[in-house]
Each structure stands twice: as C-alpha cells, then as structure tokens.
Amino acid sequence: MKYVYNFKDGNKDMRSLLGGKGANLAEMTHLGLPVPKGFTITTEACFSYYESAGKIKAEIVSEILQNITQLELDTQKTFGHGPRPLLISVRSGSPISMPGMMDTVLNLGMNNEVAAALITQTQNPRFVYDTYRRFIMMYADVVKGYKRTVFENRLEEYKQSKNVTKDTELDAQDLKNLTEDYLRLYEKMNQQPFPMDPTRQLLETVSAVFRSWNNERAIYYRKINHIKENLGTAVNVQEMVYGNIGENSGTGVAFTRNPSTGEKGLFGEYLMNAQGEDVVAGIRTPYPIENLKIQMPQIYQEFLNYATLLEDHYRDMQDMEFTIEQGRLYMLQTRNGKRTPEASLKIAVDMTKEGHMTKKEAIMKMSPEDLENILHPTFSSEISHRPIITGLAASPGVAVGHIYFHAKDVIEAKRQGINAILVRMETSPEDIEGMNHAVGILTSRGGMTSHAAVVARGMGRCCISGCENIIIDEQKKEIKLPNGSVLKEGDSLSLDGSKGYVYLGELPRKEAKETNELKEFLSWTDEIKSIEVRANADTCEEANLAKNLGAKGIGLCRTEHMFFNQKRILPFRKMILSQTVQERIKYLNELLPFQREDFYQLFRIMSPNPIVIRYLDPPLHEFLPKTQEEKKELARELNISIEEIETRINTLKEINPMMGHRGCRLAITYPEIAVMQTKAIIEAVILLMQENKTITPEIMIPLTGDKKEFEYVKKIIDDTANKIMKDHDVTINYQVGTMIEIPRACVLADKIAESAEFFSFGTNDLTQLTYGFSRDDANKFLPEYQKKGILTEDPFTTLDKDGVGSLIKVAIDIAKSVRPNISLGICGEHAGNPDSIKLCDELGIKYVSCSPYRIPIAKLVSAQNAINKNQI
Amino acid sequence: MKYVYNFKDGNKDMRSLLGGKGANLAEMTHLGLPVPKGFTITTEACFSYYESAGKIKAEIVSEILQNITQLELDTQKTFGHGPRPLLISVRSGSPISMPGMMDTVLNLGMNNEVAAALITQTQNPRFVYDTYRRFIMMYADVVKGYKRTVFENRLEEYKQSKNVTKDTELDAQDLKNLTEDYLRLYEKMNQQPFPMDPTRQLLETVSAVFRSWNNERAIYYRKINHIKENLGTAVNVQEMVYGNIGENSGTGVAFTRNPSTGEKGLFGEYLMNAQGEDVVAGIRTPYPIENLKIQMPQIYQEFLNYATLLEDHYRDMQDMEFTIEQGRLYMLQTRNGKRTPEASLKIAVDMTKEGHMTKKEAIMKMSPEDLENILHPTFSSEISHRPIITGLAASPGVAVGHIYFHAKDVIEAKRQGINAILVRMETSPEDIEGMNHAVGILTSRGGMTSHAAVVARGMGRCCISGCENIIIDEQKKEIKLPNGSVLKEGDSLSLDGSKGYVYLGELPRKEAKETNELKEFLSWTDEIKSIEVRANADTCEEANLAKNLGAKGIGLCRTEHMFFNQKRILPFRKMILSQTVQERIKYLNELLPFQREDFYQLFRIMSPNPIVIRYLDPPLHEFLPKTQEEKKELARELNISIEEIETRINTLKEINPMMGHRGCRLAITYPEIAVMQTKAIIEAVILLMQENKTITPEIMIPLTGDKKEFEYVKKIIDDTANKIMKDHDVTINYQVGTMIEIPRACVLADKIAESAEFFSFGTNDLTQLTYGFSRDDANKFLPEYQKKGILTEDPFTTLDKDGVGSLIKVAIDIAKSVRPNISLGICGEHAGNPDSIKLCDELGIKYVSCSPYRIPIAKLVSAQNAINKNQI
C-alpha cells in the first residue's frame, strides 16, 4: 500500500484518500497552476496511526522521508540546513471540510542553523526571526499542547517594555530576543530543549495532526454536522511560500462569485506583506480584491485567469487562497465555496445559463433546506441565542413582536402600528381576525392539526403550537415559563415557526423575497419532475398562491375550513346542535350558498386542473363555542336555555376525538351533510360551465375503513348529483374516491378500490393510528424518545418507511390488483418533507399535496428523485 | 322434479326439502311407529308457488291429487264423501322450526255430505258438527283472513242465549245450529258460499300455507332468530285422528326429559276427549303424563316405548305430540325438544354417561350462549319488558335494585338491607367500596375499559357503562331519560349487564348455580381443547376464581389495577405528580411492598402455572383525583397549594389519551417505574422459592411499536433482575415479551420477535387503532352502522377477521420466521367471544386469556373448534 502521494500523483476524485485539500492541491498541480510543491500523507496512514496505538509505522516514516528527499530535489532546497533551506507547512485535510477544527504547523524545518542560512540567503533577519518565533509557538501548541497565549503574552510584555504597540515596530534584534526567549520558555515547560532536528519536528507534527482528528472540538463539529467518525484526516506537507517577505509579497482569499448574493465576479480581500493568519486575525484591515487590479495588475490578471479556470473546471463557485511571494503568485487552496441559500440559487441558475452546468446538475446542487430558507423569512443564521421554549413547528417563517393575549388587543396593537404576537391556550374561530392582524401565533395546547396550526398555515402566518411546558393565563395576561419567570402583555418575543423555537426579545429578521431566479429554477424542476405536486388549499387566497407557486391542482380542499369564519360559524353551530333531521337540513340550507360560492371560486381559479374536495372530516365538537358569551349568543339564536346548550355540547364531547365521530362517520350518521356538500359541488360546476370552463371535481370521502362505508356515502353523492344533473339536463364528470388513513383501509384496499375511483393517503392520521401516537399528545414523550435514540426522526415530519410505509405499500399493491390505473396521492404534512416525498415516489404515488409554501420544495425533491432514478 | 313425498318415501335427513315436521313424520313412519298416514308437499313447491306469482303449478296440483288418491287407498277412506270419509290436516313445516308462526287447517275435507256420512259412521252427531264448525272457522281464518274472534264471538253469544258457560254444555243440535250460522256468516263476509268441494278446499289451503311463510309475524320471527329468508315451508297433509271422539280418546304432548331441569323421565300432559288445541288453549286443565299410566296403562307403556325408541334414535331429548283415537295411540310429531340452558347441560352430560352420545357430541350440542346463561344470573327469558335505556354490556349478569348516586349512600342502603345500584357519570377509585356493596353499577360515560367496567368485571358485579343518552345529575340525585322523564334516588331499575339493557322496575331474576354436571362437562372440554385458556386476573379473588374455573395460568395481570384501591391510590397519585426523579422514586418505594406482596400471593395461587404480568399501561391522569375534596387531600399530603395540584393535573391531561403517554412510553420516560415493578416481581419469586414453590413470570411490556422501545425497557428489566439475583445469589427464570396491540408492531413483528420472547395480542387496542374507532366514543355511531348494515358485528365484541385478523396473521407469519416457537396469546374482550376464539385458533394462537367468568365458554369453544378441525 502507498501511504504518501506527491501532488503530481493525485487528483480531485481522491478525496477520501487524500482529503479535500490534498485532492484539490493535486488537481491544481495537474492543471498547471503555480502550487507550492509538496505531498499528501493519506487517511490510510491516519487509520494505521490509530491502529498502531499512536505510532507511525516504519514503512510510512520511510515513505515520508523519501518524499522529503524528492521535495528537496523538486525545490532545489535542503531540509534542515543551508544554503537554501527548505521550510514546509504541515496541514490537516479530511475528506469532508472541517474548517479550523484540526491542526496546522507552518515554517517547519526551522532551527538555529537554518535561521542563520536564511539570513544569509534573504538578508532579512527580521523576517527570519519572526518566522522562527511563530514556528516555535505553533509547534509548542500543536505538538505539546502548550497554550499559544503563553507565548503571545511574552510578545505583549516585550512590546510594553519597549513602549510600542504594533508588531511592526519591533526590529530584527527584538525578534531575535523573543525567539531566544521562546526557546527558553519551551525548554522550561518541556524539561527538554526545543528539537533542532527537522525530521523529528516533522514526524512529531504529523502525529499531532493525526491526533487532532479526535480532539474535542473536531468530535463536536462532526456530531453537529452529521459527519461520519471513520473518515480520518490526511496530512499535507508543502513547501512554504511567504507573503510577508516584503512589500511585493502578500496573501489573500477570494471567491469566484459573491457568496452572499451569488453575483458573478471575484469577491475577496488581501493584505500585502502579511501571512494568511494576519488576514484571518483582522489586526490589519485587508483591501478588497479589486484593489489588486491597480496595485499589481499582472498578478491580478493571472489570478483572475486561474479563478476562471478553476470555476470552469470544478463547475462550481470556488473559494481560493493565494500568496504572492516576492512578486510571484502561488495558489494555496481551492474548494467549492460555502454560500447563502439565496446565493446558492442564483449561482446554480447563472452557471446553468452560462453553460457551465446542466439544469439537472443545477437541481441536484440545490438543497431543500436552502430552498425553504429562501421562501420564508428567517433569523440570521449567526444568532447565538438559545430558545427559552420549544413547541411544535406548526407554520413556518419567523415573527418578532410584542405579546397580546386576546384577539381584540392584537387588533388594537396593530392599529397603533405595533407588531403583535397572539398568545392563546388555543385558538377558536372567533380569533381569526386577530390571527390575521398578528405577525405570529403562539399556543400552549393543540398539535399540528389544531385550529391555530391549520389557520396559520393557510394564512402563511408563523405559528408555534403545543408549547406544553408553559402556562398561559389569558385572564391575568401572562405566560409562566418553565423556569418560573413570567412574561406580561407587551413583552417582546421572537418565534421561529420553522423550528418551533421561541426566543426572548427581538431577533434580527431576514426577509424572504421571490426572485426571477426562483421562478426560472422552479420551471426547470417541472421539466424533470417524477411525482406531481398539488396544493392543500381551502380558500381563494391559498388557491391563487398555490397556482402562482406552480401547483398542478388542489390535492386537498378541507371543506370544514370553509366554516372557520365568523359569518358561517353560527349556522354551522346551529346545524351541529340540531336535534332533528329537519332542523339540521334547515341550517345546512343556510350553509349551502356559502359552500357553492366557495367551490365556484376555487373551480374558477384552478380550472381545468383537478380539485380534490374532502367532505366534512373533523369531530363536530371542535366547532362548538368555548366561552360563556359565545354560548349565550348561540342559546339566544336557537331560543333555548344556556343549560340546554351546555347539555348538547356535553353530549358531543369525546374521550378520544381523533378516533371518534368524524370523517365519513359523520356522513353516515347525518347523510344530509353529504347531500348539501354534493349539491354545492355540482351546482358550482354548473355555474362554471356557464362560463365555458370545465373541471372534474374529485370528491373524497375521509376516514374510510370498510368498502360498505364508502359505498354508503358514494350512493348519497351519486343520487344527489344525478338528481341535480337531471333537473338541469346536464352531464358532469366527477370522481368519488377516498382517503386511506386508517390501517384497516390499507389491508382492505383491494376491496375499497373496487368502488373507489382514487386514493389519497392521509399520512397524518395513518401515522397516528399505525403508531398509536396522538399527534396532539405525543410531545409528552417524543422528545424523550429522540433523546434516548429510540426514534431518530419525528414520524409526523418524516414518513416512517418501515411501519406506515409498509402499510401504504400493501394498500397500493392490492389496490392495483383490482384497479391498475388507480390515481394515488398523499396529502398531509409529509407531502412537504424531502425524505417522505422520496419514499412516496418509490412507493409509486402519483402526486403529493402540500401547503402552498412547500410546493417549491416538493417540486425540487421530485425533480431530484427523477434525476437519481435515471442515474441508477 | 318430485314435489310431493309420501311419508314412506322420506327420512329425517330431508329437512330442507320436507321441513322439520315432514322429515320427522317420515322417519317415524320408517321406524314403524303408528303415524297417521299422509304426505309432504316440498319446500321446492313453495318456491315454485312464489316464482309463479302465487299459483300452484299444474304438475304440482296433479302430484297432490295422485297422493290424495293413494291416501284414500292407504286409509281405506274416501275424500269428500262417505261411507268412510277422509278428513285431513294441512300443516306448515319449515326446515327450521318456527312454532306457531305459520298456518294450519284441521278437519279439511268436511262438507255437508261428509257430515251426514260421518254421523252415520260414528253415530256421534255432536262430534261431527263440532268438527265441522271448527273447520269452517280455521279455513275462514287461514284462507280468507277472517278473524277467528268473529266466529268465537258467535259461539259465546250462542252460549249466553242458552245460558251456559262451557262448550261441553252444548248438545248436537246446538252445534249444528252454530255450524249453519258459521256457513251463513262465511257467505256473508265472502260474498260467495263456503266451498263444499274438498279438492278446492285443499288447494286453497295449501296456497294459504305457502303464503303464511311471508306473513308479518313469520318474517319478524325469522329476523329476531336470525333464520334465513330463503328456506320456504313444506306442507304436510295427513289423515286426521281425533282425540275428542269419546272418553277413550285423548291427546297430549310430552318430552323424554324435563325441559327445565333435564331430569330423565317422561314429562308432559294430556287431556281425554279433546283436540290438541284444547291442550294449548288451557281451557281445561290437563293431567300430568304419569296419570296416563293409571288411566290407560297399555297405551302409556306403548307411548313410553316409542319415546325411548325415538330418543335413542335421535340421540337427543324429544318433544312429542300424540293422539289416542278410540283406544288407539297415534304419534303426530317428534322433534328435538327446546330446553333451558341448565337442562341442556344436564341432558348432554346424562346422555353421554348413558352411552347415547360421545363426549364430543355432548360438547358440540352445548351452545356458548347457554353456557353463559348458566354461569350468570339472568332475567327469566319470558319477560316482555322493553329496555328504557341501552348502554355497553360492560360486565355480565343481572341486577335488580334501587338507585343511589353516591358510594356512601349505597353503603348506607346496604346496611339497611336494601339492594342498591350505584349510578354515576363515571366511577373513580374512591367509589370502590360502594361498588362492592352495590348489586350493579350504571354509568353514563366511559367504555368497556373504563374504571367502572374494569373493576366491575373483576368483582363479578353486573355493570352497564356508557349510557350516553341519559343525563346523570349526581348533585340533584336524578337521571334524566331520553324521553324527558326523571328517575330519583330510591327508584327501582333492573340491569342486564350481559346485554347492556336497563329496565324500569324490578324484573324476576334467575340465579346461577355451579353444578356437578358443569364441572364434569368442563373436564371433558379440557380433554379435547385445541387453544388453551388462561384468565385475566389482577387480584387473589380473581386468581382463585380463575383456578376454580380451570384456567391454565394467568394470561393478563394488569398491574395498574393493583393501585385502584384506597390505601394505595394516595402514594400512587403522589408518584404521578412528582416533579423530580428522586421524588418519584420515593413514592415508588412506598408502593413496592404492596406490589411485591400482591405478586407473591398471585404466584402462590397459580404456581407452577405461568402468569403474564403487564407493566403499567394506562395514561397516568386516569388515576388523578376528580373531586375538590380529593384534590385538597392530595395538596395537603404533598404540602403544595391546590392551585399547584390543578396545574400539575392539567399538564397531564391529554386530548386523545388512548394514543397518548401510556404503555411502554411510561417506562421509557420514567424508567424508575419499570425498575420498581421488576423488583416487586423478582423479590416475590424469591419469597416463593423459600416455600419450595416455583413459577416463571412472563413480564409483558405493553404498547410496543418498535424493537428499540422493547429493548430499552427489556434492558431496564434485565439489569434490575440481574442485580437482585446477584445480591441474593439465586437464578430465577423469567421471560420478557410484549403485547402486540399497535398496527406498526404487527408489520414489524419480525423485528420485535428478535428480542421479545413471547407475544400477546391486545385485540382491544389493536381493534381501536386498526379501525380508528375509540372504544369509549364509538357508541356515537356504531349503532347507526349496525342499523344501516355497514357493520354486522360490533368489532369490539367479535374480532374483525378481514382487518384486524389479517394484521394479526401478518404478525404471526413474520414473527415465526424469526422465532418459530414463539408463544402467542390473546388477551382482551375478544378472548371470551366464541367466533373470535375460533378465528384465533385458525390463526395459530396458543392461548386466549379472558375474564374468569368467561373461562368455561372459552374452553367450550376451544373444544368445539378442535372437534370441527378434526372432522374436516
């Protein structure tokens, strides 16, 4: 096995062996760029070091020394003595970049003899002693673990004794004195003198760099960045070049494009007569890279050429380091540059249009997380605040504002120009106006499907729900935090609805904006997509938004949300509390015009794309009044006593509403509701037809668990539709399908598919029932499950492949045996989650339906899947 | 096709063609018994009648007439004229007995000419006119639908005019006058004279009998007795014999054994000089059959011989009808006799011991419903009351008593010698003593797994839970019924906990008793059983009862029930409300001695049979106090404010507790609970070992959905057990398995079986989650589902084969691929349901575990399954 590669022998595809830095240095060497000469000790040598209990094996030592000899030949320099001494850098470099986490030693090879020879050679004793002093400090730090501050303090003391403030005010003698002081200090701490043998310096340093793979900060970095533990680090040994050798020397870093905006053109900075660490340290203010064009036009042009060459070669924006030594340019490093989400998008789009990459490559380069960040406002990524509370990430985006506990107070605050956050134990339809005026919503109860979460997502308003560990007192207008402290009306909070984090005070916000690049990029995903993307939309606003964001139809229109509105909630409540069928029909008739108009408007927006309309689904008591005033109003309206209202409300209460009287169970016990909803749909299509538009509504019966249930409701729909069509003498195409969201429906999907024309998998409920996890309550134990490693992902966020996925697979397999072309979709939170979309695609799902703001992400993932599939 | 069978041509196995009566008449004819001659028109002729829109086809008419001709030859009589006229009976007879539901006409063939000839022949004009008069009335009723009362009223008027009260006081002339009156009355109603042509009489009557298959009462009878609609009825045409022809004539009915007690020996009654309908009508008091031994010793002996012959032949207790005509015995009917459940058991056991049937046949003859009736007190089956309320059949048996709304009032009533029924919205641990003093329990909330239901089943106390449509006001001490009326403290109710019916007032109770026959019979089931039967038992009382009833171990010991007790509930509540692990451990240590002692006592009772111990399962808030006083007590005990108590209770509340923080989720978030329970078990085994007894506890982790969950808890158990075993220097065998009650566990059962040593299917929860039906709430829609035919069975009573069953099948198949000998059980309500036990047996389940009182039924069904399997 070969453990050491000369830069001439490697290339960019050897990252896992040579590390990222080593592979790129080799690649640049091949491209003919002026790279200081050197070699890379492989990650295999690192493994060998650990396997040999912290010893470099003899054969590896021998390879390293052979490569030093070769380096002496290549550079025409000598290691450890004059006349032209060879000084080298020894740098770590793992397969995945971990900037600053591991160790580096510069100027290695220096000793008293070398110093003397270098003075002779350069006639610059100040530079030589400065180099020597820096080497001692670095070596002591990296190899022996002595803190750099011990040496830096000596430097400070020396400057104070000379009454100067800047390093540059010290002369050669000063630095010589300091070097000697450092050597004494080292010997005092180490009980042995500083090693003058360059080979020993080298081998000790290589060992130290291997060890630095497992230092605390590197382990922590790998953990938080999900980097594998078994990669190891390579070690790069390279001839030193010096930017601090005089006024025609310098050093700098530059990107080929602006990493914040993605703008094309060199973006970077440099310092003359300085070493790399001086740029990083920020003691002197560097110049912008454009300045170099004036100061050293030839060097600038040469660097620009290399930058262009590298970007073309790597087909990605590059982050480069360079040094100018006595008027000669050296390239020290290149790598794909880190960038903001916005820049990531712009660069991918621009480089594609410039012909540097294909659309497919651009799509693969974009991460779903970056796209989500582009679509929603976020907090600046540099913030170091820690959240004071964690709740459910109910609706994405961020909000900064002052807290208010009642909808009317939010409205008043807004009137006064105050950004208000509505804080409630839970919200109800009466709060809608307040929610609309608020910048964000925070609740202590209720899950991802609570009123607050659902309405907020529809409004695109940031929302955190289910903060179980705070106590909200709406009367006292205060929040009691877990640590006992109390927040009062008007206090400031910052909410991150994408993460479920609540911060104290006001955090800086970064706004989202829709750019032309975004539109163009998304149009490419459409060309390549595998799975289709529809939207969950219940209102015209949502439908328009979804259409704008490119939804190919509505995959889930939740009709109950059409009643979450102050004008309609009253007849709806009367309907729920009806004691007779006649009474119920009376109030349903009051609701019919609203539903018909809603459907008509939705149809106009989406026509001719399909709309899946789900019939009334949630437990009815969700709509009932909670406050005494609301109950009084209802009692007055129904002309019954408030006691009677309480009694009727009590009868509707359920112990486990999620598994209670809801879904198609409502249509079976109260067929008149399904009749009204069918009338509204069919009559709306008739209105649409008068405008020469057309649509095929897909009527979806929720919560089916048995073929007979489905058929019972389908018959109501067909009978009602047939009657209206006959009365109007028209024929309207519509489909009747069902949501598959109950485990029993999965195992009996073949029977159900005999009658159902389409399926949409309701993965929210299916996950709840498959796991037996109530989404509203699982917060009591899921965090502990994740902490203890029992669950790695929240199954309500990432679709559970093993359990829920295998039930879906069964359902699809058996359903297709009966109805081979059955249309299959999924709706629910998972439809916007990248891993879940991938799983759905594998399962053979035709479309995913997600909230409008997640459409772009779903399209991106869909396109990425398509590309991956074709590559396999 | 042959539509008419002479009795000589049929046999008992031709029930579906000849009906039960016809097949048995043919069989008796073959056996050489004196059966009046005749023939049977088949059920096929009945179908043909309906298919021909109410006409008897010509070929069938022709067959009937040929058989009449043959009957004339066989009887040496002539149809419609003298000298020896043939009179016949025409009776319905369907394949399944529907006594009294369809029509019969006797004395057919009578007309003026026949009457004259008969007078000549019998010299008994009174008998002849009585016969004639009866015929007219029956014919008018059956064929024309004229009410019998119209004719009977004429008889009454006539008797009044003659100033007599008894029919027997009327002479020949009186009856002749009445006959003529009847003929005029018929003609007046019918607009046409009474038909004198006997063939026309016959064919009209046969048609009428066919029609009676679909009369209202027959349809209703079939519906409530689950008899198929497509069976049809045969028609039996038979020579009349007369028990009312003089003092050496008579008629009677008798069973070969007592149908109430099962006692061996003729049991019946008879009347001399009477027709069958006189016995039924109850106008004259019949003699007991023993009397015949004295009155007509030869006839008695002859009948006894026939009875013995028939019972031997049919190998079952027979119900026979006979007539004595002028000193000659005729057998009119035999069939397997209806009997009470107690008689059913005794007859099966006795006949087996007498060698008339095998044990297997005896087992097959016993129905699970009858066995259930034997084990619990019931209401007399003749009651015609209708329930005023229907709830869940939460705990079987019946209760009659006065209602009280508070546990303390029940206790006081009991002290005064009053049978009290405890009525509560729901019960809590504070009510235990009151429940124990009550004869029955009625609640308006909560399902089959509510506190009331669970505790009542354990106590063997009758209970109806979840009567959702009544309103219980505990303060006012009243129940508001759905019809608006109100019951107050002290009012009487009768509860049938086996059916969930509540009756107003006091119904007569029939007590259950354990007999030697029962024990013997159950011992036979043990010899034949396929699936094993264990008990659900949480207390020593239940364990002893289970052992008595023959349970082979405990299949489910619900440890939480051990805390439903006033002494333990307080430390348990403190444990739940603990804020720190230290605090929780402190209260767990207080509970440890109780649990250890409980386990020790259970182990002593069951040793060496296995006990499956389920770790703490229900949501913790179920144990929390509800009343203000209890909360105050707890606040005092914990030395915190009542506000703080409220707050802590609120934090524990869940929206869907059934899918919330329960089962193994408790052991994962609070491992210290599992530690305490393990200590209690292992230390209890050590105590047991000191008595040289042994047991292998099967520790069951509830609500597992993932292998990692299981392994996390198993590790706690193993670590705790190992430490104790090491400390005591002993080795104890125990197993760790899991309940499979979550759909995800079914589809991942192979993974879970890698670690779990046994499975017990918790079909209650599995049904809830597979259907998405909350057991506590499904009552809101399940009745409607059953009414509309969407569900034929309540899936919480009868295990759903298609859905839940197929998930169980998947689980078993994949689990066995990993652990071929894995022990498989089921626990839950289904374990006591016959159809479900059968399904479990088919699925390869090794044992069912049910509440103690259901053990005998489970054993019976298990044995029946084994027999059925071997027959196939």
Side-chain angles (χ1 to χ4, degrees), chain B residues 715-733:
Chain B
K715 187 169 182 310
I716 296 168
I717 294 168
D718 287 343
D719 288 351
T720 307
N722 286 335
K723 190 178 176 312
I724 300 170
M725 293 192 294
K726 205 177 149 199
D727 289 352
H728 288 75
D729 195 23
V730 290
T731 303
I732 290 165
N733 290 323

Side-chain angles (χ1 to χ4, degrees), chain A residues 659 668 709 774 785 788 800, chain B residues 668 709 744 774 785 788:
Chain A
M659 301 194 288
I668 288 168
E709 273 181 313
S774 160
Y785 268 51
K788 292 183 169 165
D800 160 47
Chain B
I668 288 168
E709 273 182 312
R744 193 171 191 271
S774 160
Y785 267 51
K788 291 181 170 167

Side-chain angles (χ1 to χ4, degrees), chain A residues 146-160:
Chain A
Y146 305 144
K147 292 228 162 79
R148 289 176 82 116
T149 44
V150 181
F151 294 93
E152 280 163 354
N153 287 345
R154 289 293 173 108
L155 173 62
E156 283 312 302
E157 285 165 22
Y158 193 91
K159 282 196 283 185
Q160 281 180 15

Side-chain angles (χ1 to χ4, degrees), chain A residues 177-242:
Chain A
N177 292 344
L178 264 170
T179 302
E180 286 162 359
D181 185 41
Y182 279 18
L183 286 171
R184 282 191 300 273
L185 179 59
Y186 178 94
E187 187 168 347
K188 192 177 159 201
M189 290 193 289
N190 193 42
Q191 309 281 328
Q192 285 197 333
F194 189 83
M196 291 293 149
D197 172 11
T199 304
R200 189 175 151 205
Q201 289 173 0
L202 174 59
L203 295 176
E204 289 282 353
T205 302
V206 170
S207 294
V209 173
F210 284 154
R211 283 198 301 274
S212 72
W213 170 255
N214 271 340
N215 70 32
E216 270 181 34
R217 65 176 190 275
I219 291 172
Y220 181 75
Y221 184 91
R222 289 198 292 274
K223 194 174 161 191
I224 61 170
N225 288 286
H226 306 289
I227 298 172
K228 282 186 193 156
E229 278 298 312
N230 61 356
L231 298 173
T233 184
V235 182
N236 297 293
V237 177
Q238 194 175 19
E239 177 192 8
M240 284 296 300
V241 287
Y242 291 97

